Amino acid sequence: MIKIERKITEKSKKAAASLQMAKKNHASYNTPEVNAALKELFHGKCYLCENKQIISYQIEHLVPHRKKEELMYDWNNLFLACAHCNNTKLGKYDPILDCTREDIEKKIAFRKKGYFGTDEKLVFDKLDNSIETENTVKLLQAVYYGTTPQKKMESVILRRLLRKELSAFKEYIREYQEAEDDEKEDLGYLLKQQLSDSSPFAAFKRQLVRDHRKTCQELLEYLESPCI
């Protein structure tokens, strides 16, 4: 979960217009324009778990609308989620952090601890004591570890995808550190892509860099630059 800037684009304008029309006609907010704009906005990944290998996209209301039209058709209240996360969240954790307004990584540190042969676990360390942060951490725990027998099976798949992404990311870092100067440019570009907003599980990758400041100094400088 990272901060995503809700930019005004042609697709977002069309989405807002379609929502106005849907509200006027008491129709569904689930329009083609809304789906296209949300996929663009969230880089095709779930805003909660950051998985990009989604086979079931859903429109999630950050604040549960409970039949209130002002929330149901509000573009700023609509988020792209996978079925696993949407069906985990429901209305159980309100209020949570708004990743289009808050810098999530200043509120929560995303870490994977342990390694093969040890007790591996995901840790979501609170960096403040707000109720929104507290609820978001509880939700993330539920997302990555499951709350029902079915959700627990889904969460195993999610953690497996995360583990593979982090393993590949660590290998890219090793290759970059061992590379000759003429090889570093391409590897550096690849690593920057891995830290970008569009990258799956970016919050975990970025925290890994922050936790290894001495060995990842160049990546840390990139991460802390205003352009990211």
Side-chain angles (χ1 to χ4, degrees), residues 211-223:
D211 287 343
H212 295 82
R213 305 179 73 89
K214 291 183 179 179
T215 56
C216 299
Q217 187 59 42
E218 290 180 53
L219 289 177
L220 184 65
E221 290 174 1
Y222 168 73
L223 196 56

Side-chain angles (χ1 to χ4, degrees), residues 19 22-27 29 61 65-75 77:
L19 286 168
K23 182 178 180 181
K24 179 180 179 180
N25 296 326
H26 303 288
Y29 55 81
H61 289 81
H65 61 76
R66 298 187 175 93
K67 305 299 182 181
K68 296 178 181 177
E69 289 192 344
E70 64 272 21
L71 293 174
M72 186 185 301
Y73 297 101
D74 181 1
W75 166 246
N77 195 37

Side-chain angles (χ1 to χ4, degrees), residues 1-227:
M1 193 176 185
I2 60 171
K3 184 175 183 181
I4 297 291
E5 184 181 355
R6 199 177 278 271
K7 298 178 181 178
I8 299 175
T9 66
E10 287 303 313
K11 287 184 179 180
S12 71
K13 291 177 183 177
K14 290 179 180 179
S18 76
L19 286 168
Q20 290 181 355
M21 184 63 67
K23 182 178 180 181
K24 179 180 179 180
N25 296 326
H26 303 288
S28 173
Y29 55 81
N30 191 354
T31 70
E33 293 83 4
V34 168
N35 281 278
L38 286 176
K39 188 173 182 180
E40 175 189 55
L41 171 63
F42 291 100
H43 307 285
K45 62 181 180 179
C46 173
Y47 85 100
L48 284 169
C49 70
E50 287 197 89
N51 180 23
K52 293 190 84 165
Q53 296 187 36
I54 300 174
I55 60 172
S56 179
Y57 286 106
Q58 295 187 359
I59 297 175
E60 210 278 303
H61 289 81
L62 184 77
V63 180
H65 61 76
R66 298 187 175 93
K67 305 299 182 181
K68 296 178 181 177
E69 289 192 344
E70 64 272 21
L71 293 174
M72 186 185 301
Y73 297 101
D74 181 1
W75 166 246
N76 292 316
N77 195 37
L78 302 185
F79 290 68
L80 185 69
C82 66
H84 171 73
C85 287
N86 195 24
N87 294 332
T88 297
K89 177 178 176 286
L90 298 175
K92 300 176 182 177
Y93 301 90
D94 189 41
I96 66 168
L97 294 169
D98 182 345
C99 69
T100 65
R101 299 178 185 272
E102 301 275 4
D103 189 342
I104 305 298
E105 294 164 87
K106 290 183 179 179
K107 305 284 185 177
I108 303 171
F110 295 71
R111 295 185 171 97
K112 176 184 170 298
K113 296 189 176 181
Y115 51 89
F116 179 74
T118 68
D119 184 20
E120 289 185 290
K121 62 180 180 179
L122 304 181
V123 178
F124 307 96
D125 290 320
K126 295 184 297 180
L127 303 180
D128 71 24
N129 295 315
S130 70
I131 185 64
E132 290 84 2
T133 298
E134 177 77 26
N135 287 342
T136 304
V137 166
K138 290 179 180 178
L139 172 56
L140 290 168
Q141 288 281 0
V143 161
Y144 280 97
Y145 285 96
T147 54
T148 68
Q150 292 81 11
K151 292 298 176 193
K152 288 178 181 178
M153 288 191 290
E154 293 170 4
S155 67
V156 168
I157 297 171
L158 181 60
R159 294 198 305 275
R160 188 179 299 146
L161 291 170
L162 169 60
R163 187 185 305 117
K164 288 181 179 179
E165 275 288 329
L166 288 180
S167 294
F169 179 60
K170 290 175 185 177
E171 186 59 33
Y172 294 145
I173 293 176
R174 293 189 191 98
E175 290 179 11
Y176 179 80
Q177 292 171 337
E178 295 171 356
E180 301 293 335
D181 289 342
D182 59 347
E183 300 174 319
K184 282 186 176 291
E185 184 175 353
D186 287 343
L187 285 169
Y189 176 78
L190 176 61
L191 283 170
K192 289 175 182 178
Q193 288 295 107
Q194 288 282 308
L195 294 172
S196 69
D197 290 349
S198 62
S199 178
F201 309 111
F204 285 94
K205 294 173 182 175
R206 293 175 181 181
Q207 190 60 50
L208 184 65
V209 169
R210 295 187 182 99
D211 287 343
H212 295 82
R213 305 179 73 89
K214 291 183 179 179
T215 56
C216 299
Q217 187 59 42
E218 290 180 53
L219 289 177
L220 184 65
E221 290 174 1
Y222 168 73
L223 196 56
E224 293 179 346
S225 67
C227 62

